[in-house]
Amino acid sequence: MKSTPAIATAALLLLGLAACGGTDAAETAEAPPAKSIILITPNPVGTNSFLQLGVKGAEAAAKELGASFKLYESKDPTSIAQNVDAAVRAKPTVIVGISFSFDDVFATVPKANPGQQFLQVDSCAKEQAPNLACVSFKEHEAAYLAGVEAGLLSKSGQIGVVAALDTPFIHRWIEPFFAGATSVKPAAQGTPLYVGGSNPFSDPARAKSQAQTLTGRGVDVIAAAASGGNPGVFEAVAASGGKAFGVDVNQCALSPGNVVDNVLKHVDVAENAAIKEIFAGRTGGVKVYGLAEGGVGVNALDDDLASSGCTVAASPDVVAKVKQTRDDIVAGKITVADPLQS
């Protein structure tokens, strides 16, 4: 056993070290990096191409702005709220939440933290605070173009959609797709089926099963709107001899010869621009990106279509019709109904 003086000396030494350490920790907590970005996702990123675009856009902005970047991945509404709370305590330059899953939490948290800047990508809380900026897209315009392709290429006149959930927002990929198809083939019939379940955005097995149900009914063209579940749809159409459409990014290489085109949404580009505006002091407001702004589209419109791997490249007449339809939408000659507004 140590002597009493030795114990006293050791205690004083530890107290001094603790005091120094405590001061440093407090200063660190109160002094976050001068520039920092925290991105919160509603689900683990994994193979979800939409969330991958969100990460890409935020990382690119951080690199260009000389800011730090952190990713908080959620798995349910509870963890979304917890991650937002943790992000607020970290006090970054901007907190980014991606998708409609943040509608509820961003309706209250920004108001309670007026000194913190927030960005919501792909949706916007109905009760929008001045320190909440929003970026959204006219997905329905791109889905309509894909529908035009489907109508022209379908042999049976039976087309379908395998979507993650039956919600008003996701219907932006459904009714406009069918409307585009009937605009060029009036007798075309559309059938939607939904993945559902506990993991609707990342369940290839359930998505494949729904696609098999559609092909069994004679559907020969299916739009996949199931995020990480899309590969399951591609497997089903490959086995049936049908064709599919991907979503968000070019997914033609995932199933060579079986994917016609993709309903593209340039989330990374719009998110990058919004983050830069917030860093420059231009905060709040809503920006909407459609065909006119280059925020959505299909691969048929791109200059690199020939190397895209998408089968529509072999149908120049279809590509020409898509480009004409795009021009007519931008010019206001064609109005694509938005399911969210109906």
Side-chain angles (χ1 to χ4, degrees), residues 56-169:
K56 179 182 177 182
E59 283 184 329
K63 184 176 181 180
E64 293 171 40
L65 293 164
S68 67
F69 170 77
K70 287 186 178 180
L71 172 65
Y72 293 1
E73 297 178 278
S74 313
K75 61 180 184 295
D76 53 34
T78 299
S79 60
I80 288 175
Q82 292 170 341
N83 280 334
V84 170
D85 180 62
V88 167
R89 285 186 277 110
K91 299 181 180 179
T93 308
V94 61
I95 296 171
V96 185
I98 185 165
S99 88
F100 59 86
S101 298
F102 288 79
D103 285 357
D104 290 339
V105 70
F106 275 5
T108 58
V109 175
K111 291 181 181 179
N113 298 275
Q116 173 66 58
Q117 294 302 320
F118 296 83
L119 170 64
Q120 187 172 359
V121 178
D122 205 35
S123 188
C124 196
K126 290 183 179 179
E127 299 293 329
Q128 186 183 359
N131 56 325
L132 172 63
C134 296
V135 171
S136 61
F137 302 84
K138 297 180 180 179
E139 299 93 350
H140 51 295
E141 292 183 345
Y144 186 93
L145 295 183
V148 169
E149 296 177 61
L152 292 173
L153 294 171
S154 173
K155 296 177 180 178
S156 69
Q158 298 291 323
I159 61 176
V161 177
V162 172
L165 292 169
D166 184 3
T167 67
F169 181 75

Side-chain angles (χ1 to χ4, degrees), residues 10-71:
L12 287 171
L13 179 60
L14 288 171
L15 182 60
L17 289 173
C20 292
T23 301
D24 290 345
E27 288 176 354
T28 299
E30 293 300 320
K35 297 179 180 179
S36 54
I37 299 167
I38 293 178
L39 170 66
I40 308 172
T41 60
N43 307 104
V45 176
T47 59
N48 187 315
S49 58
F50 169 68
L51 297 181
Q52 288 174 347
L53 283 176
V55 173
K56 179 182 177 182
E59 283 184 329
K63 184 176 181 180
E64 293 171 40
L65 293 164
S68 67
F69 170 77
K70 287 186 178 180
L71 172 65

Side-chain angles (χ1 to χ4, degrees), residues 166-262:
D166 184 3
T167 67
F169 181 75
I170 293 177
H171 274 263
R172 279 185 152 192
W173 282 264
I174 301 174
E175 281 87 353
F177 181 69
F178 296 152
T182 56
S183 74
V184 294
K185 184 173 289 184
Q189 295 183 327
T191 304
L193 291 179
Y194 305 94
V195 177
S198 60
N199 197 17
F201 293 96
S202 299
D203 195 335
R206 287 176 68 97
K208 180 178 180 178
S209 177
Q210 296 294 62
Q212 288 173 326
T213 297
L214 289 174
T215 59
R217 297 177 183 175
V219 172
D220 63 349
V221 179
I222 300 176
S227 297
N230 284 5
V233 177
F234 301 155
E235 288 180 15
V237 298
S240 70
K243 298 293 182 183
F245 284 81
V247 73
D248 295 331
V249 297
N250 182 359
Q251 298 188 310
C252 293
L254 295 182
S255 186
N258 301 308
V259 183
V260 176
D261 204 337
N262 303 272

